[in-house]
Amino acid sequence: MTRNTQALTVAFMLIAGALPLSHQATAAEFSAGQQAVESNAQNGKFSFVLFYRSNDSATQSMQQVLQSTLASRQDAAIVPVQINDNREQALISKFDATRIPMPAVAVLAPNGAIASVFPQRVTPQHLTAAIVSPAQANCLKALQEQKIVLLCAHPDGQKVVPAGVTQFQNDALFKKRTEVVTVNANDPAEARFLQQLRIRTDQPSSVVAFMAPPGVMLGLYNENVTHNILAQKLAAAGKCCDDANCKHIKAAGGTQVPRR
């Protein structure tokens, strides 16, 4: 496993793999907590859902950290949810919150991606780091939906997706489960995310980060990466398909590895 692979796995595995996205409730089904989350999303805010069982000292301490850290932010809001409130079962079930040590904070990005989950204890640094960039939120959501992700970091003035990425996305085998995310490599808002992925932002051409669920980095490539390279890398990682006769699996070594 390369350092790049380790970096992404650490950054995404717990978030992207542990809590797959569930169905969205209709407006009529929305509880007070869900309505707050929906309103926050519409206003571009992150929802910090505070799950608690009782208003004990641990809950009060966590709430105090949340309030003191987020009070001055315009992009975040706290949504308290008591774990025993039957009216909030849809939101509780979404996070399988009854299995999380209480109290806990689950962070939802405006696009619905789960950005972080913090059981029992949280620090201001944790909360600030959970407010992820738009590109990271898009990647997280796609991974949580069990999709393959190709993040294309373009230099200034360039927006064309590399041909190999387009060909991979159009392959009938991958089309329905592939998400292409584009970002300006020099966007200050994305600097932390690109640094986490070890993507150099001073390159004259696009850099492609290839990821698969639950949060595995398959590799970093330049703009000349081909469809075949991507397909074979996916197959070698056991993320291609379950067909032993698949040409990509055979090209990667001929051994079928079930998708995980």
Side-chain angles (χ1 to χ4, degrees):
M1 180 179 288
T2 65
R3 287 187 177 181
N4 287 328
T5 303
Q6 292 173 330
L8 185 71
T9 301
V10 170
F12 279 157
M13 181 68 78
L14 294 178
I15 300 170
L19 295 165
L21 296 179
S22 62
H23 78 281
Q24 294 295 314
T26 64
E29 295 174 319
F30 278 177
S31 63
Q34 289 173 300
Q35 288 176 11
V37 168
E38 178 68 14
S39 176
N40 291 337
Q42 291 176 355
N43 290 292
K45 293 184 178 182
F46 284 74
S47 289
F48 286 74
V49 184
L50 172 59
F51 290 108
Y52 66 99
R53 196 173 302 279
S54 63
N55 191 27
D56 56 16
S57 60
T59 298
Q60 293 174 18
S61 177
M62 183 171 281
Q63 186 171 26
Q64 185 176 24
V65 175
L66 282 163
Q67 290 174 337
S68 62
T69 305
L70 304 176
S72 62
R73 299 194 69 111
Q74 302 300 311
D75 57 356
I78 304 169
V79 180
V81 172
Q82 188 173 30
I83 203 75
N84 297 322
D85 188 346
N86 289 330
R87 296 167 297 182
E88 298 291 355
Q89 284 308 306
L91 193 57
I92 292 167
S93 296
K94 176 184 178 70
F95 291 94
D96 199 11
T98 57
R99 298 170 63 87
I100 305 174
M102 294 287 112
V105 176
V107 187
L108 276 173
N111 70 343
I114 299 167
S116 285
V117 177
F118 303 109
Q120 295 187 307
R121 180 178 176 273
V122 70
T123 68
Q125 293 76 19
H126 289 151
L127 299 177
T128 301
I131 300 177
V132 300
S133 70
Q136 185 168 1
N138 288 337
C139 290
L140 283 171
K141 184 178 181 181
L143 290 168
Q144 288 161 5
E145 292 173 344
Q146 300 303 304
K147 291 183 178 180
I148 302 159
V149 176
L150 288 152
L151 173 69
C152 301
H154 301 306
D156 287 336
Q158 184 173 325
K159 296 182 179 180
V160 178
V161 174
V165 172
T166 300
Q167 291 165 5
F168 180 91
Q169 186 183 28
N170 291 334
D171 187 321
L173 187 61
F174 311 123
K175 189 172 185 178
K176 293 183 178 180
R177 57 190 178 99
T178 298
E179 188 81 16
V180 175
V181 178
T182 61
V183 63
N184 184 330
N186 294 308
D187 183 348
E190 302 293 346
R192 184 181 69 178
F193 179 45
L194 297 181
Q195 184 177 24
Q196 288 174 343
L197 299 185
R198 308 287 178 86
I199 293 178
R200 289 182 57 180
T201 58
D202 59 350
Q203 300 302 293
S205 59
S206 299
V207 176
V208 178
F210 191 27
M211 314 172 219
V216 180
M217 171 68 92
L218 299 180
L220 294 178
Y221 302 94
N222 62 33
E223 65 178 2
N224 296 319
V225 65
T226 66
H227 163 270
N228 284 338
I229 287 175
L230 295 172
Q232 289 175 26
K233 185 67 176 181
L234 190 71
K239 305 292 183 178
C240 181
C241 65
D242 298 324
D243 181 2
N245 295 315
C246 173
K247 65 180 181 180
H248 302 306
I249 292 176
K250 288 184 176 181
T255 302
Q256 181 183 9
V257 182
R259 279 186 287 159
R260 296 180 292 274

